[in-house]
Amino acid sequence: MKDITRGGQFLVKETKCEDIFTPEDFSEEQLMMRDSVREFVDKEIWPNKDRFEKKDFALTVECMRKAAEMGFLSIAVPEAYGGMGMGFVETVLVCDYISGATGSFSSAFGAHTGIGTMPITLYGTEEQKQKYVPKLASGEWFGAYCLTEPGAGSDANSGKTKAVLSEDGTHYKISGQKMWITNAGFCSLFIVFARIGDDKNITGFIVENDPKNGISMNEEEHKLGIRASSTRQVFFAETKVPVENMLSERGNGFKIAMNALNIGRIKLAAACLDAQRRITTNATIYANERIQFNTPISQFGAIRSKLAEMAANCYAGESATYRAAKDIENRIEARVAEGATHQEAELKGVEEYAIECSILKVAVSEDVQNCADEGIQIFGGMGFSEDTPMESAWRDARIARIYEGTNEINRMLSVGMLIKKAMKGQVDLLGPAMKVSEELMGIPSFDTPDYSELFAEEKEMVGKLKKAFLMVAGSAVQKFGPDLDAHQQLLMAAADMLIEIYMAESTILRTEKLVKKEGEAKVQEQIAMAKLYLYKAVDIVTQKGKESVISFAEGDEQRMMLMGLRRFTKYTNMPNVVALRETITTKLVGENEYCF
């Protein structure tokens, strides 16, 4: 078995382009799956966009049933429980292409297939899986997930919902209030988290939705976006749940919640991709049709710049999301080959790449928001109108930065988990960080490097950005030790550096692999997108690195580190940014769609 890079190791190990999976590597079967999902969305969802915006909840349910008939709800469910039992890449692929037309359907789909079904397939007993999963996979039942409470959001383990064992020991009585519950209005089953006694951690339960069993709901919430996804408060008043419906073991609920969210995070990143493709395509079409000063606005540099950035960010998001999805799939397959059950393998596989899942969730959710924002700007006054799809895309995108853990929580998690892995010896950060500080003491080389090979300088640049991160994070860990958690602003800045490194590297590796397959001449636009994305990443690493260094170091140490940061973010040959954007936009405008 080839050596699989562990989660977080991208920072300290060189990854070859041959070792990553890219969208260009989809198999025939995966391409057929993608096309059938796209066809479903174009036929059932996109034409009804205005009905979703008018809060047509019944339409959401109807489309969910149709998606079930097509088998889309059962992609990730093992065959033993009525599912298709497909790999993790297919799961992400379906999630990507089914989510582009409206956030309302995307949220219903994601909540059902992810946090509504997955906890049972991953933590349920054989009896629980046989009883519930086939109904969820077929769309006969829909699932919802009850974690958040009025007083327990990001601090998910602080929930007040109680579960009290009955005197005869046959069932628990659950009492409490849950809020922001997606699919609450039409689901048949809840995954509910409650606390037993004074337990330190919450416990998970499978609760059937029966109004006669002490379950009631508020009216639908009035939301900024995702208007036709059902979101309600759910109240439990001594709701009886048989003891055999406890999920996993007592006190394991927090772990279930966190692992369900890890899977949710990479799927949420995927769910923002097709939205970006569609926004970019719509903006391009409009820019080609809109005439001002006797010229299509797609010919004006100010508009062309926007289109190029939208396309480059989408391309980067695809590159990183599918790289991580395949890494997770490889890890799952390796564990199954070693004799683990599907449950154990999937849990451990996703847990292994929790850092990458958090990185993706933050990066792609922020890119889709920026993409929609620029989409409105390109449409001008029309973009602000409900008559064009841009304003609903912008509103729907806004929730992506909040759910599955806010982007602030995910930023801190990504760096926090990396440091924990280093402490456990799973990722050697200290060795490379020491090497970087030794390098800073030495005299830099003044040789002119040979950059004749494509991406030679860009790949060296990514290596230097990694050194910049190791320098800043290493010094911060030495200075604050276990108290680093208390310095959230430093963690956030370090996270931004980490995010840009992973995204830029993924984009360059994808493009390098593509060049080896197609030849440089055929993929000039992809080369331009990779270089443009890296240029922006270098800027962010420079800015966030500087912010960190001047905030925790002083005197000689500060001067030394700022000098190091300059060295690690310095191009030998600066790219011509305007020319890169022009290359990208010329192709976009010519094809009249996102065509990469």
Side-chain angles (χ1 to χ4, degrees):
M1 188 185 93
K2 77 175 169 73
D3 180 31
I4 300 177
T5 303
R6 299 196 65 163
Q9 274 187 342
F10 70 89
L11 199 60
V12 290
K13 272 181 87 167
E14 193 191 341
T15 305
K16 291 190 167 56
C17 70
E18 291 80 9
D19 293 339
I20 73 157
F21 180 85
T22 74
E24 289 76 31
D25 298 324
F26 289 146
S27 65
E28 282 300 312
E29 189 184 11
Q30 286 167 335
L31 289 171
M32 279 164 62
M33 176 67 75
R34 180 196 69 186
D35 293 344
S36 68
V37 173
R38 214 190 245 157
E39 194 181 320
F40 168 78
V41 172
D42 287 338
K43 187 167 143 235
E44 302 291 345
I45 297 175
W46 189 263
N48 294 313
K49 208 166 162 55
D50 58 328
R51 286 177 63 191
F52 285 107
E53 293 317 303
K54 294 188 176 101
K55 306 187 181 182
D56 189 338
F57 299 109
L59 177 64
T60 302
V61 180
E62 186 189 319
C63 289
M64 282 288 283
R65 297 225 186 281
K66 286 179 178 168
E69 283 163 25
M70 300 285 292
F72 300 148
L73 302 188
S74 69
I75 302 290
V77 172
E79 289 177 44
Y81 312 107
M84 289 192 176
M86 291 185 130
F88 198 78
V89 172
E90 279 91 353
T91 301
V92 167
L93 180 69
V94 170
C95 201
D96 171 352
Y97 282 90
I98 211 160
S99 302
T102 165
S104 298
F105 180 79
S106 173
S107 296
F109 176 86
H112 170 76
T113 56
I115 49 182
T117 305
M118 289 304 262
I120 307 178
T121 50
L122 296 184
Y123 286 96
T125 61
E126 191 53 37
E127 293 72 30
Q128 288 168 346
K129 288 189 288 191
Q130 293 286 0
K131 183 175 180 184
Y132 294 114
V133 176
K135 288 179 176 169
L136 292 165
S138 67
E140 180 188 338
W141 281 23
F142 293 118
Y145 180 85
C146 298
L147 178 63
T148 306
E149 298 183 13
S154 295
D155 183 7
N157 205 23
S158 65
K160 302 277 185 289
T161 298
K162 288 279 178 210
V164 179
L165 188 62
S166 62
E167 283 176 16
D168 62 2
T170 60
H171 58 269
Y172 284 93
K173 289 178 191 164
I174 293 183
S175 299
Q177 176 185 1
K178 298 288 183 180
M179 70 190 301
W180 309 128
I181 307 308
T182 305
N183 295 353
F186 61 85
C187 73
S188 322
L189 175 150
F190 297 106
I191 308 286
V192 181
F193 294 92
R195 194 177 311 277
I196 302 171
D198 296 326
D199 287 2
K200 179 171 172 269
N201 291 324
I202 50 181
T203 299
F205 295 90
I206 302 169
V207 182
E208 294 182 23
N209 183 7
D210 176 4
K212 296 193 285 292
N213 187 16
I215 299 175
S216 59
M217 294 181 203
N218 269 10
E219 286 303 299
E220 291 286 351
E221 299 285 354
H222 298 286
K223 308 185 295 289
L224 172 71
I226 56 170
R227 288 181 170 175
S229 83
S230 172
T231 311
R232 293 186 172 193
Q233 289 194 40
V234 183
F235 301 90
F236 299 96
E238 300 213 326
T239 300
K240 292 180 178 175
V241 183
V243 288
E244 59 268 24
N245 274 28
M246 181 188 285
L247 197 52
S248 184
E249 57 220 39
R250 179 172 173 169
N252 218 11
F254 186 58
K255 193 169 185 188
I256 296 172
M258 291 305 99
N259 279 327
L261 290 174
N262 283 335
I263 297 178
R265 281 169 188 150
I266 184 169
K267 287 172 79 175
L268 178 60
C272 295
L273 293 174
D274 199 49
Q276 286 182 75
R277 293 186 201 103
R278 285 173 185 264
I279 291 166
T280 305
T281 291
N282 273 287
T284 304
I285 292 168
Y286 185 81
N288 276 333
E289 289 172 357
R290 174 73 169 161
I291 307 290
Q292 290 293 281
F293 311 104
N294 296 325
T295 309
I297 65 169
S298 62
Q299 297 309 307
F300 296 122
I303 300 293
R304 293 173 79 81
S305 165
K306 292 180 189 304
L307 289 170
E309 299 283 351
M310 289 157 77
N313 286 342
C314 180
Y315 179 74
E318 293 171 349
S319 309
T321 301
Y322 285 101
R323 173 190 183 179
K326 183 61 172 170
D327 281 343
I328 291 170
E329 182 171 286
N330 288 343
R331 176 64 61 172
I332 292 168
E333 285 171 359
R335 286 191 173 269
V336 168
E338 287 162 9
T341 63
H342 168 79
Q343 266 174 303
E344 294 164 337
E346 185 143 338
L347 270 174
K348 289 293 179 204
V350 176
E351 204 174 341
E352 177 66 57
Y353 293 97
I355 294 166
E356 286 80 354
C357 292
S358 280
I359 285 173
L360 288 165
K361 192 273 177 181
V362 173
V364 188
S365 67
E366 292 181 0
D367 283 341
V368 74
Q369 183 85 67
N370 293 335
C371 185
D373 200 66
E374 292 288 40
I376 289 180
Q377 199 67 15
I378 290 167
F379 270 69
M382 285 305 296
F384 205 71
S385 161
E386 288 188 0
D387 293 339
T388 62
M390 286 299 159
E391 66 87 40
S392 64
W394 186 86
R395 285 186 290 98
D396 283 352
R398 189 59 188 85
I399 188 61
R401 284 154 56 196
I402 297 170
Y403 59 19
E404 310 286 0
T406 66
N407 284 9
E408 291 68 32
I409 288 285
N410 273 291
R411 278 185 161 87
M412 290 185 284
L413 266 177
S414 60
V415 178
M417 290 187 290
L418 185 64
I419 291 166
K420 278 201 184 83
K421 281 197 157 206
M423 302 293 186
K424 287 184 184 165
Q426 292 171 353
V427 176
D428 177 19
L429 285 187
L430 292 177
M434 292 301 288
K435 273 195 190 136
V436 172
S437 51
E438 282 163 23
E439 188 179 327
L440 287 181
M441 298 296 190
I443 298 166
S445 158
F446 293 107
D447 298 342
T448 310
D450 172 21
Y451 291 138
S452 53
E453 201 173 304
L454 179 70
F455 288 140
E457 180 165 8
E458 284 76 13
K459 284 181 356 193
E460 185 182 282
M461 203 72 206
V462 170
K464 291 197 296 192
L465 295 184
K466 291 177 182 181
K467 287 178 182 176
F469 175 85
L470 289 165
M471 174 185 77
V472 171
S475 300
V477 170
Q478 277 178 326
K479 195 169 204 91
F480 301 113
D483 297 335
L484 186 58
D485 279 358
H487 298 269
Q488 290 193 351
Q489 294 189 46
L490 287 179
L491 283 174
M492 300 277 282
D496 281 334
M497 297 170 79
L498 186 67
I499 287 165
E500 291 307 323
I501 289 165
Y502 187 71
M503 301 300 290
E505 180 181 67
S506 302
T507 311
I508 286 165
L509 291 173
R510 171 188 181 180
T511 312
E512 187 188 9
K513 190 173 185 180
L514 186 58
V515 168
K516 287 185 176 178
K517 187 172 148 192
E518 299 285 343
E520 209 172 312
K522 280 192 184 165
V523 291
Q524 286 300 311
E525 298 79 20
Q526 285 90 334
I527 293 169
M529 288 192 284
K531 289 183 174 182
L532 179 62
Y533 192 92
L534 176 66
Y535 174 78
K536 307 290 282 236
V538 172
D539 260 3
I540 293 168
V541 170
T542 304
Q543 182 200 341
K544 297 296 180 177
K546 182 178 171 187
E547 182 187 312
S548 303
V549 170
I550 60 179
S551 300
F552 75 76
E554 44 198 26
D556 283 346
E557 185 193 12
Q558 187 190 87
R559 275 192 294 278
M560 191 72 166
M561 286 175 74
L562 288 174
M563 190 187 76
L565 186 63
R566 277 195 298 276
R567 192 192 295 178
F568 296 143
T569 51
K570 185 169 176 277
Y571 275 94
T572 304
N573 306 291
M574 283 281 193
N576 179 338
V577 176
V578 171
L580 293 176
R581 290 195 194 117
E582 273 302 306
T583 300
I584 300 161
T585 313
T586 301
K587 176 80 167 172
L588 257 185
V589 166
E591 299 281 339
N592 210 23
E593 64 172 354
Y594 178 84
C595 51
F596 307 109

